[in-house]
Amino acid sequence: MTTEKHIDARALTAARRLSHTMQDRIIRSGDERYEAARTVWNGAVDHRPALIVCCETAADIQAAVRVARANGLALSVRGGGHDWAGRSVRQDALVVDLSRMRGVEIDLPTQTAFVQGGARVADVAAAAMPYGLTVAGGNSGSVGMAGFTLGGGYGPLMPRFGLGLDNLLGAEIVLADGRTIWADATEHPELFWALRGGGGNFGVTARMRVRLHPVREFLSGVMLFPIAQAATVLCGYAEFAKTAPDEMAVMTGLMCDPAGNPAVFFLPAWSGAPVPGAAAIAGLRALGTPLHEQIGPTPYGEMLAANDALAIGGRRYAIQSRSLAALSPQAAAAILDAYAMRTSPHAILAIHHFRGAPTRIPLQSTAFGLRREHFMVEIIAAWEANATAQDATHRRWARETSRMLAPHALAGGYPNLLGPEEVEQTRDAFGANHPRLCAAKRLFDPDGVFSAVGLPA
């Protein structure tokens, strides 16, 4: 059995080997930087890594991976630090910390960006904005671009340009043996296939190349409806979206307004011409009687900042995921019943509508396992950072909500939001692609060094 004493000894040996080239960029327990360095977005994560290595180059990543393997230390990779389950800072592991690798280079002639592994969605958005370009990123700016992209990538450009992973053109990966390779459609195509949906299960992403799009700003904001209109508004949206153009993306769901009152929310994001955009927003408005509406032309960066305020870092979180086949009256009733049982005013049920461009991509072309239209429900239990005694209560609500939605759901869920214990649900999420994905895992990481979304070695 590996004891704490043995882990400390291994960490000390690893630190000494790395210190020759990385000097003060190695953090161990007892270092004044350690507590901040091990903290992630989810305040409920209290893992204590053996060693945190702050990388600045692909060579640094290679050295960290090789030293971890040579000294028998588990590996963990931290990009944006948003993985709610805390896999980015595994207990007793050597953490490859990419938070200093946030560079973004825009290649204007090809309308692409080269993105370092620690860059966040907001970093890419800010770099692309001066050129009138936008990345197919998510709804939150603080999420790591690599984790978001490799695991799937639902966002405001999804109906028009596909998932985040559909806009990945290539990636520089440090494998478990320390080798660095570039994977794209022609070089190591099987790894490239697996990366697009298989998450960070195959190595450390040092750099990615992603496609950009000529979108200068969105017509976006927030629209709130009273909870009494929830069933009508949610089902009405499902009908509205049947004829909505791909330029219209909408995240909807249930949350409490600033006064603590439950409400239905719409976060629309129109990426096309202004006049049809205004008509599309009017169509949403007509679904009920809004309590509040604040919608206007918005740069992507501002939209990201506004959404970040809905999921405050440092609070305690537990997350589940279900993908509904349809937003039927029965499914809407289950969503309402579950939300009525919420255990915190910070709880959110967010519904991401998968439609348009990503449904037109063949299932077998990437590892992502669900290409039919669906409504992905993000079940977010959230409570105050100091309320540790309530952990079990809030986690139980998230699990119970998942159970209540299961009869209306497709098999699986969104891998990026499934925890390590959701083994069966994760397997089902990959569907027909699961066997091929596991084969790629055995080929590129036969010892199971990397752990992201629950693939077996």
Side-chain angles (χ1 to χ4, degrees):
M1 182 175 68
T2 303
T3 65
E4 184 176 339
K5 182 177 180 180
H6 287 144
I7 291 171
D8 285 344
R10 293 175 183 180
L12 180 59
T13 301
R16 285 172 175 166
R17 291 184 178 180
L18 290 169
S19 63
H20 297 296
T21 56
M22 301 185 69
Q23 299 178 352
D24 64 344
R25 292 186 281 123
I26 301 164
I27 303 172
R28 296 182 60 221
S29 180
D31 187 309
E32 62 181 10
R33 302 168 293 173
Y34 180 78
E35 292 301 320
R38 74 181 185 92
T39 300
V40 291
W41 168 78
N42 184 2
V45 173
D46 190 29
H47 299 167
R48 302 190 68 83
L51 195 66
I52 300 171
V53 181
C54 301
C55 298
E56 295 181 348
T57 65
D60 288 344
I61 298 171
Q62 288 180 291
V65 169
R66 286 169 174 156
V67 165
R69 300 296 308 279
N71 288 275
L73 289 170
L75 263 172
S76 187
V77 183
R78 174 176 178 153
H82 247 269
D83 174 32
W84 75 271
R87 286 166 287 208
S88 59
V89 285
R90 292 167 62 186
Q91 182 73 26
D92 297 329
L94 183 152
V95 174
V96 179
D97 189 316
L98 305 180
S99 59
R100 299 189 184 193
M101 297 179 64
R102 294 176 62 174
V104 180
E105 296 180 11
I106 304 299
D107 185 357
L108 195 54
T110 62
Q111 294 194 345
T112 62
F114 288 92
V115 181
Q116 286 191 308
R120 300 183 178 188
V121 172
D123 296 328
V124 189
M129 184 178 66
Y131 303 99
L133 298 171
T134 298
V135 66
N139 295 290
S140 172
S142 60
V143 169
M145 189 69 195
F148 163 83
T149 301
L150 301 184
Y154 293 70
L157 286 176
M158 179 174 62
R160 189 174 177 186
F161 298 119
L163 290 162
L165 67 87
D166 297 324
N167 293 273
L168 178 66
L169 300 174
E172 183 182 28
I173 305 294
V174 178
L175 299 176
D177 60 8
R179 288 182 297 137
T180 298
I181 63 174
W182 179 264
D184 60 19
T186 56
E187 295 184 62
H188 303 287
E190 189 64 12
L191 177 57
F192 184 54
W193 176 88
L195 289 172
R196 290 175 294 160
N201 278 308
F202 305 95
V204 186
T205 303
R207 189 173 59 132
M208 304 187 304
R209 186 184 180 202
V210 298
R211 186 182 293 111
L212 301 176
H213 303 280
V215 177
R216 286 191 172 275
E217 64 183 9
F218 293 83
L219 183 60
S220 70
V222 62
M223 191 181 294
L224 298 179
F225 293 87
I227 196 70
Q229 297 178 19
T232 300
V233 168
L234 291 177
C235 294
Y237 167 72
E239 288 298 314
F240 164 87
K242 290 179 180 178
T243 57
D246 291 350
E247 289 87 348
M248 177 58 120
V250 180
M251 183 168 71
T252 184
L254 304 176
M255 67 179 183
C256 287
D257 65 18
N261 301 309
V264 184
F265 71 86
F266 281 145
L267 300 180
W270 172 267
S271 60
V275 173
I281 296 297
L284 283 181
R285 187 184 301 116
L287 296 177
T289 305
L291 290 167
H292 171 77
E293 179 182 338
Q294 186 173 354
I295 293 174
T298 312
Y300 188 29
E302 291 183 16
M303 184 169 67
L304 291 171
N307 292 343
D308 280 337
L310 299 177
I312 298 173
R315 279 182 179 157
R316 303 175 77 79
Y317 292 93
I319 297 178
Q320 299 276 312
S321 165
R322 287 289 179 186
S323 296
L324 305 183
L327 199 51
S328 63
Q330 295 79 14
I335 290 170
L336 281 166
D337 288 345
Y339 193 70
M341 299 166 57
R342 66 191 177 281
T343 52
S344 166
H346 305 309
I348 299 174
L349 294 181
I351 304 171
H352 306 255
H353 192 182
F354 185 98
R355 65 178 186 88
T359 68
R360 298 189 284 268
I361 294 173
L363 178 66
Q364 67 275 14
S365 64
T366 71
F368 195 77
L370 185 59
R371 287 291 181 176
R372 59 168 285 186
E373 181 179 2
H374 62 270
F375 296 83
M376 189 274 284
V377 183
E378 189 174 359
I379 303 163
I380 307 172
W383 60 106
E384 296 299 344
N386 59 359
T388 57
Q390 301 173 16
D391 286 5
T393 298
H394 300 298
R395 288 172 178 152
R396 190 181 307 114
W397 175 78
R399 291 193 301 270
E400 180 62 15
T401 297
S402 177
R403 186 195 66 78
M404 292 172 68
L405 298 185
H408 312 282
L410 300 166
Y414 182 31
N416 260 355
L417 298 179
L418 295 173
E421 68 279 3
E422 271 87 53
V423 177
E424 182 176 349
Q425 203 177 345
T426 301
R427 182 196 65 220
D428 292 343
F430 293 116
N433 287 330
H434 188 260
R436 182 178 172 185
L437 195 54
C438 290
K441 176 70 168 173
R442 291 190 294 270
L443 179 63
F444 293 102
D445 184 20
D447 297 326
V449 172
F450 297 102
S451 174
V453 292
L455 284 182

